[in-house]
Amino acid sequence: QVQLVESGGGLVQAGGSLTLSCLASGISFNLNTMGWYRQALGKQRELVATISSGGSTNYANSVEGRFTISRDNAKNTVYLQMNSLKSDDTAVYYCNARLPFLADGEGFWGQGTQVTVSS
């Protein structure tokens, strides 16, 4: 049974930082591209960042330079370090795991963790 369990969300003031974690089980973690997506109220889910099995990263323009995605294959965990948070970053953040041949948005999903940035 595949499980992706996010943690680390919460309420933070603008300009602050948070680190999200996603613990994966039931998959060959080291083979998967891991990603973070977010969905703000009334908006579509959007890609935040991805990291390939080889460590290559990709970021949305809106978070480039502020967020850092990383992975620890020994712990089956992917992280999202979020700095200089803005009110526009308020959303539910979802962890995604997909094998490389699948498209963005496919694969397995976590249940999400709420991030609220107060201005």
Side-chain angles (χ1 to χ4, degrees):
Q1 181 182 359
V2 177
Q3 280 193 313
L4 301 176
V5 180
E6 301 101 333
S7 60
L11 175 64
V12 64
Q13 287 190 332
S17 299
L18 278 177
T19 299
L20 305 183
S21 301
C22 172
L23 174 62
S25 59
I27 61 171
S28 297
F29 182 82
N30 60 317
L31 298 180
N32 276 260
T33 292
M34 300 301 298
W36 288 97
Y37 292 70
R38 67 187 181 187
Q39 187 168 18
L41 197 62
K43 296 186 178 180
Q44 289 190 335
R45 184 151 52 187
E46 63 176 0
L47 181 147
V48 176
T50 61
I51 184 166
S52 71
S53 57
S56 297
T57 58
N58 178 53
Y59 296 93
N61 289 338
S62 59
V63 307
E64 183 85 53
R66 299 188 297 122
F67 291 9
T68 302
I69 189 170
S70 61
R71 64 190 296 160
D72 186 336
N73 289 342
K75 295 182 178 180
N76 282 9
T77 301
V78 61
Y79 305 96
L80 185 68
Q81 173 68 44
M82 305 185 293
N83 298 325
S84 302
L85 283 161
K86 306 174 182 179
S87 56
D88 286 348
D89 296 319
T90 295
V92 178
Y93 284 70
Y94 296 91
C95 178
N96 172 262
R98 63 176 176 85
L99 290 171
F101 58 83
L102 295 178
D104 280 343
E106 295 182 340
F108 299 102
W109 293 92
Q111 82 289 350
T113 186
Q114 176 71 46
V115 172
T116 302
V117 183
S118 63
S119 55

